[in-house]
Amino acid sequence: MSAFNFDTPSRQSVKGIVVMLGVSIYKVLKATIILIVAFFVKYIKNQDAIDLGNPFFWLSILTVLLILITVAVLRFRNFMYHVNSDYFILKKGIIKKE
């Protein structure tokens, strides 16, 4: 059995960053699926190929990924929990702390 002290505030595992990143990517895809489908339908309807050599295409995808990674790391850094007497205390949030 582990001798972990739950009285002191601690963070989750570093693997949580990957989980939070995956959840963020899922939420972004879920929120923008209509735009993504409309984008591809436009190119299919016009019989144009998507220009994967366009630097703005890759720059926009890279920017979105960097924002999502930054949000995941900030969520990880601001997620603390501990047990105090009979209470489970959870502190989280980037801008709005709960």
Side-chain angles (χ1 to χ4, degrees):
M1 186 163 160
S2 175
F4 189 78
N5 184 6
F6 287 103
D7 292 334
T8 59
S10 42
R11 288 192 170 90
Q12 61 186 354
S13 170
V14 178
K15 296 173 188 173
I17 294 175
V18 176
V19 172
M20 289 181 195
L21 178 63
V23 169
S24 295
I25 290 172
Y26 171 75
K27 286 181 179 180
V28 167
L29 287 177
K30 185 178 171 186
T32 60
I33 191 70
I34 299 298
L35 294 174
I36 294 170
V37 169
F39 178 75
F40 283 113
V41 166
K42 174 190 165 198
Y43 279 104
I44 291 171
K45 193 174 186 180
N46 293 338
Q47 297 179 348
D48 291 336
I50 297 173
D51 186 15
L52 296 178
N54 189 350
F56 293 113
F57 175 76
W58 292 109
L59 186 62
S60 61
I61 289 182
L62 181 64
T63 302
V64 169
L65 281 176
L66 286 175
I67 290 170
L68 292 175
I69 290 170
T70 303
V71 167
V73 169
L74 288 174
R75 283 185 182 162
F76 171 77
R77 298 283 300 155
N78 292 304
F79 186 90
M80 302 285 286
Y81 64 92
H82 68 279
V83 177
N84 188 2
S85 301
D86 294 332
Y87 298 103
F88 178 76
I89 300 170
L90 177 65
K91 297 178 182 180
K92 65 178 184 171
I94 299 172
I95 296 173
K96 179 184 170 191
K97 305 286 184 176
E98 296 179 12

